[in-house]
Amino acid sequence: MTTSPRVNPTDSAVRIVSLYPDLLGTYGDGGNAVVLSRRLEWRGIAVEHITIDAGAPIPDSADLYLVGGGEDGPQVQATRELELSQGLHRAVDKGAVVLAICAGMQILGHRFPDATGTSREGLGLLDCETVRVDRPRAVGELLTSNAHLTTPHGRIDLGPLTGFENHAGRTIPGPNSTSLASVEVGEGNGDGSEGVVTGTVVGTYLHGPALARNPRLADALLEWVVGPNAMSPLDDSDIDALRTERFHAARDHELAPRRSWRDILRRS
Amino acid sequence: MAAGRIVASASRFVHFGTGSVIGGRVSLLIDRNLLAELTSSREVAIVSATNGKTTTTKLLSTALGSRQPVVSNWLGANMTPGIVAALATSNATDTAVLEVDERWVDSVLRATKANTVLLLNLSRDQLDRTQEVRKLAEQWRTALTATPPRTVIANADDPLVTWAALVAPRVIWIATGQEWTADASGCPACSGRIDFVGSEWSCASCDFKRPSIDVTVDDNTISIADQSFRAPLALPGRVNRVNAAFALAAASAMGTGIEAAFDALDDVTEVAGRYRVADFNGTKIRLLLAKNPAGWHEALELLEGPSTPLIVAINARIADGHDPSWLWDVAYERVGDRLVIAIGERRHDLAVRFRYGNITHVVADSLEDAMNLVRQSPNFDPTVPVDVASNYTAFQEHLEKVGGVL
């Protein structure tokens, strides 16, 4: 396990890099950078957010990298660019923390299926493999239990994770990884587990703005970077209200909240 | 055809709303070629897009209607069944202006052999249940190849629309100044990167680029075929000047004089309730429809302001898409200092979005409660309508509260 990448945490701004939002960012993935930035700012910690489009050089000295979800074609293109650049690989070697969402998680693994179902080589930063399975696409609320991260500062309990998933692959964690959580409602990795953690790289099928609904996951990633002493409590009452509502929605399998026949007739 | 008319009437009789879907469904079972038959002896125009298709359909119907009888499905039943139902009750030779769902363009174009096709824009919308926008662009391209219309009117500032329209024999290109480009960063021709520089765009890897422009739209004028028409129209905002430009270009291509068409557009003050200013429990409200990031990009520009409270309503029913993650693709920070009140079934998702945008906000359980909060706000001005911006099913609820479709 690596130590905190920040040599002097009080000295400079926390640097967050959003990778390739032009290719991977279909479902509001940009929200994760907003969540992390605000949670630092509200605690009086300076933050520098850098957006790197495909083709641009990737700085390898930032603290935290975000890789979003995306469609099949752009997913392959992003893999090619990241492999060529090697910037993310170098950053991980230096101990940077990475959050990879959905397609982002798939391409960071050893192998993933492309649009035609052909298995392609991934970036190997997450010890997992994603395969195409013969089942309907997993689309709906995802709720987990037993979520935790182990950082140099100890084990951090994340509480229930809540989000939306929309993917077709099945992800098999390898021996050098742990899962992020256990599935209570939804599909997740496909084997009852959800997400993959290898060292400082975290992958999840909670898609899009996953951190918006999961402030403890956001804070765990930040704590990895700035240490536990900087993590003063915040007013999360708006978020708690949303989480409570979504827990109920997932457990009641309320995929279609109060959907009426008139809705269906109007737009079918 | 008579069967379709009877079913449509029966459907209305048993109070299935306007009867526009049930009547069509049964009709299709009776004769799958009904749409082709219903359009065999009339001029047809098709309007499709992610955003603006209902408004543009209404504007084009109005523009043409100054000269000839026009039938249209502008109430939003925009797949084959709804279209058949709308046509079944019209005279066989009335000109048809058809709003068509993005996914149904191929099938409707094949059946109707429409002479005129208006393609406004393509962007992310309801991704949990619809297709990738790139696949839609490919479908449009295939449709225009299989059934070439006489004229396509297309958005030259949307690379996905441009890709689709390029195969048509004649295209009138509109410089829409579209600012939402997040869904078109990859070249549809070669997967290279599209660079947007000033008003131009081009692919970095191949020769795909912005076509030469036929129609321009700016803050004050719409310029078409060497003639300039002064905006404003009755409908607000740049986006509606663009919609009007599409309607005028199409009306002109279909043989109506542009000036007569332009004059007719002044009479359109709302479209199926969109932009309606109405009294709600003694206070003026204005209804706005905003149901995806590109739509919100335009809606935020139209807001009454700069400090008038704003009500935002989001549902996540099947017609809205179950996943409101897209709220994070909307730059709600642009509301500035306004108080924003979150309502709708997904009001807590909105509240979290606003919290992280450092936006002053409050959650209310209903439009009534939200309006009470508005009236108590120090920035409430009873002479300025309060904007209520809603996504699809929330908009329908609010429209019904102020009298429904007129």
Side-chain angles (χ1 to χ4, degrees):
Chain A
M1 191 62 65
T2 52
T3 54
S4 166
R6 280 160 60 84
V7 180
N8 184 349
T10 57
D11 191 42
S12 60
V14 173
R15 296 179 76 200
I16 298 173
V17 173
S18 293
L19 284 176
Y20 303 166
D22 51 337
L23 294 177
L24 302 172
T26 320
Y27 300 94
D29 302 77
N32 293 321
V34 175
V35 168
L36 292 169
S37 300
R38 293 296 165 276
R39 295 186 80 80
L40 287 167
E41 287 165 10
W42 291 338
R43 292 177 166 114
I45 302 168
V47 56
E48 185 186 354
H49 176 223
I50 305 149
T51 294
I52 303 292
D53 283 339
I58 300 174
D60 57 20
S61 58
D63 301 300
L64 218 158
Y65 293 77
L66 299 170
V67 187
E71 297 167 349
D72 296 333
Q75 179 181 14
V76 172
Q77 197 189 340
T79 311
R80 201 163 47 223
E81 300 259 359
L82 286 168
E83 186 62 44
L84 267 174
S85 157
Q86 289 293 310
L88 184 61
H89 294 76
R90 285 194 300 273
V92 171
D93 284 344
K94 292 180 182 184
V97 175
V98 180
L99 175 68
I101 304 284
C102 196
M105 169 168 77
Q106 295 181 351
I107 66 171
L108 260 58
H110 299 301
R111 302 200 71 81
F112 68 94
D114 68 12
T116 64
T118 308
S119 178
R120 289 192 173 242
E121 195 168 341
L123 299 166
L125 293 170
L126 271 175
D127 181 31
C128 66
E129 181 175 341
T130 300
V131 294
R132 177 74 56 93
V133 284
D134 187 23
R135 61 159 168 74
R137 204 175 166 83
V139 183
E141 290 284 335
L142 177 58
L143 178 64
T144 78
S145 56
N146 193 31
H148 65 278
L149 276 179
T150 304
T151 77
H153 313 298
R155 180 187 156 107
I156 304 175
D157 176 22
L158 304 174
L161 298 176
T162 163
F164 199 87
E165 63 180 332
N166 185 348
H167 60 98
R170 174 172 183 162
T171 295
I172 304 149
N176 296 318
S177 64
T178 55
S179 60
L180 179 64
S182 308
V183 172
E184 183 185 330
V185 179
E187 187 71 27
N189 293 339
D191 62 354
S193 70
E194 154 50 26
V196 179
V197 183
T198 304
T200 55
V201 183
V202 179
T204 178
Y205 275 121
L206 298 162
H207 89 170
L211 300 181
R213 284 200 210 173
N214 296 290
R216 285 163 83 169
L217 176 56
D219 280 355
L221 299 174
L222 294 175
E223 184 177 323
W224 219 328
V225 176
V226 300
N229 295 337
M231 302 300 290
S232 48
L234 299 174
D235 170 14
D236 284 337
S237 51
D238 278 327
I239 303 157
D240 291 338
L242 172 61
R243 284 171 62 79
T244 305
E245 177 203 276
R246 292 291 97 202
F247 295 164
H248 286 300
R251 287 174 183 145
D252 297 347
H253 299 280
E254 189 193 321
L255 247 182
R258 283 191 276 153
R259 153 184 162 189
S260 74
W261 61 270
R262 292 182 74 176
D263 294 336
I264 300 164
L265 284 183
R266 275 183 181 130
R267 283 284 280 200
S268 65
Chain B
M1 191 156 96
R5 194 176 302 149
I6 290 162
V7 174
S9 308
S11 163
R12 272 193 301 279
F13 180 72
V14 296
H15 303 295
F16 280 114
T18 57
S20 47
V21 172
I22 288 283
R25 277 273 158 85
V26 181
S27 296
L28 267 193
L29 290 176
I30 294 167
D31 185 353
R32 292 200 172 271
N33 294 319
L34 202 51
L35 182 56
E37 283 176 26
L38 282 167
T39 52
S40 60
S41 51
R42 61 172 105 218
E43 184 72 18
V44 177
I46 285 175
V47 180
S48 195
T50 304
N51 291 319
K53 52 189 175 287
T54 303
T55 299
T56 304
T57 298
K58 173 72 174 172
L59 290 171
L60 179 55
S61 303
T62 306
L64 296 173
S66 59
R67 291 290 180 84
Q68 59 204 293
V70 174
V71 58
S72 175
N73 62 331
W74 60 275
L75 287 177
N78 58 16
M79 304 176 201
T80 302
I83 293 166
V84 167
L87 296 179
T89 53
S90 67
N91 289 320
T93 56
D94 289 357
T95 298
V97 179
L98 303 177
E99 170 186 335
V100 180
D101 181 277
E102 305 89 282
R103 293 161 293 169
W104 288 69
V105 168
D106 188 37
S107 119
V108 173
L109 184 56
R110 277 174 200 269
T112 62
K113 299 189 171 52
N115 274 329
T116 311
V117 175
L118 294 73
L119 302 175
L120 279 58
N121 52 67
L122 276 175
S123 68
R124 62 189 70 178
D125 184 36
Q126 299 179 38
L127 288 169
D128 63 308
R129 73 180 191 104
T130 62
Q131 297 164 23
E132 299 177 6
V133 288
R134 270 157 208 288
K135 289 186 184 155
L136 288 173
E138 282 299 333
Q139 280 179 17
W140 282 9
R141 191 174 163 94
T142 306
L144 295 173
T145 307
T147 319
R150 191 172 58 211
T151 311
V152 172
I153 296 105
N155 183 347
D157 287 330
D158 187 324
L160 294 177
V161 171
T162 302
W163 173 244
L166 269 175
V167 297
R170 176 176 178 241
V171 185
I172 298 174
W173 295 105
I174 302 198
T176 61
Q178 176 172 308
E179 289 170 354
W180 178 267
T181 56
D183 295 302
S185 55
C187 175
C190 75
S191 300
R193 188 181 68 253
I194 303 261
D195 292 323
F196 296 88
V197 181
S199 62
E200 295 294 321
W201 57 262
S202 59
C203 175
S205 308
C206 73
D207 59 3
F208 183 53
K209 64 177 197 300
R210 188 186 196 228
S212 59
I213 299 303
D214 302 298
V215 177
T216 61
V217 183
D218 66 23
D219 286 349
N220 299 306
T221 50
I222 298 168
S223 300
I224 169 169
D226 300 327
Q227 286 179 279
S228 283
F229 298 90
R230 280 192 64 79
L233 304 144
L235 296 178
R238 192 191 65 83
V239 66
N240 282 316
R241 287 194 293 281
V242 168
N243 292 336
F246 271 92
L248 290 176
S252 171
M254 296 170 78
T256 296
I258 302 181
E259 279 178 41
F262 185 78
D263 288 344
L265 299 190
D266 250 357
D267 297 333
V268 181
T269 56
E270 67 161 68
V271 179
R274 295 154 172 83
Y275 313 108
R276 181 183 300 174
V277 176
D279 177 274
F280 183 76
N281 296 347
T283 307
K284 267 198 285 187
I285 63 172
R286 182 173 64 161
L287 298 182
L288 299 175
L289 175 70
K291 53 188 170 64
N292 52 41
W296 265 105
H297 187 90
E298 303 294 348
L300 285 167
E301 192 182 282
L302 315 173
L303 295 181
E304 296 282 2
S307 57
T308 309
L310 165 70
I311 297 173
V312 178
I314 298 294
N315 286 350
R317 301 186 194 180
I318 190 164
D320 305 304
H322 290 309
D323 174 22
S325 292
W326 58 270
L327 295 174
W328 291 86
D329 286 326
V330 180
Y332 284 112
E333 288 78 0
R334 285 169 58 200
V335 302
D337 295 333
R338 291 179 179 87
L339 167 67
V340 185
I341 302 166
I343 61 173
E345 289 158 4
R346 300 307 290 270
R347 57 196 176 280
H348 295 297
D349 292 81
L350 277 171
V352 170
R353 173 68 190 88
F354 296 150
R355 159 90 172 128
Y356 279 114
N358 288 327
I359 294 161
T360 310
H361 67 278
V362 58
V363 174
D365 287 340
S366 65
L367 183 57
E368 288 77 5
D369 289 354
M371 287 304 294
N372 288 335
L373 291 167
V374 165
R375 290 186 200 99
Q376 292 159 22
S377 155
N379 288 323
F380 172 57
D381 174 352
T383 64
V384 179
V386 176
D387 281 322
V388 180
S390 318
N391 69 341
Y392 193 80
T393 63
F395 182 89
Q396 301 300 338
E397 284 171 30
H398 298 154
L399 181 59
E400 277 164 31
K401 289 183 187 209
V402 296
V405 176
L406 297 179

